[in-house]
Amino acid sequence: MTEESIYSKLTQLGGDSKLPDSPEEAVMERVANPQKGSGYVVRFTAPEFTSLCPITGQPDFAHLMIDYVPGDWLVESKSLKLFLGSFRNHGAFHEDCTVSIGKRIEELLEPKWLRIGGYWYPRGGIPIDVFYQSGPVPEGIWIPDQGVPPYRGRG
């Protein structure tokens, strides 16, 4: 498989891309896994994730950790960034945002395993942490701790 064939269908990487107006409009792209057959973990950290409270319209902030064990596909990182950025004007509760992100990535990639941790900063004095996992960790794969401490003034 040549580099050209792996990347030739990408539409966002290497050019100007507008931030999508909503997660529904966002297009995540995938590329063939050039290390298919190797057991490894991919981690994305989004320490400045934002969405809106669906009731008050006030901003909510989270530190997202996304880990997955690829199968045939990898997520193209620019399209993932644009997808995550599309939540900036999206109203949804913390639980819905975190789980829907995990499920959308899972649907696109069909990974061997996926986990997302949504570590939300407090509003009303209570931080809410939300976790979604696609199933058991594949045998023989080392999964590092997400490294986000329980809330004590995260930063």
Side-chain angles (χ1 to χ4, degrees), residues 22-120:
S22 70
E24 295 78 25
E25 291 180 22
V27 175
M28 272 197 297
E29 298 182 320
R30 65 187 188 180
V31 297
N33 179 1
Q35 294 296 321
K36 183 180 170 183
S38 298
Y40 66 99
V41 178
V42 176
R43 170 171 285 169
F44 288 98
T45 304
E48 298 176 346
F49 179 82
T50 60
S51 65
L52 297 176
C53 172
I55 307 302
T56 67
Q58 293 295 310
D60 288 320
F61 302 89
H63 184 138
L64 298 182
M65 299 290 290
I66 302 165
D67 297 317
Y68 73 96
V69 175
D72 294 339
W73 303 102
L74 302 172
V75 68
E76 191 284 306
S77 62
K78 182 177 180 181
S79 71
L80 176 65
K81 291 173 198 173
L82 291 168
F83 170 64
L84 295 177
S86 73
F87 282 82
R88 185 167 293 165
N89 295 313
H90 178 71
F93 288 128
H94 304 338
E95 297 87 347
D96 187 30
C97 287
T98 305
V99 174
S100 67
I101 291 167
K103 286 184 173 183
R104 179 91 178 262
I105 296 168
E106 186 178 19
E107 181 181 306
L108 174 73
L109 301 181
E110 300 175 3
K112 294 178 182 177
W113 177 82
L114 176 136
R115 165 182 72 183
I116 181 170
Y119 301 87
W120 293 83

Side-chain angles (χ1 to χ4, degrees), residues 12-27:
Q12 300 173 89
L13 187 62
D16 290 339
S17 300
K18 177 184 171 292
L19 189 64
D21 290 329
S22 70
E24 295 78 25
E25 291 180 22
V27 175

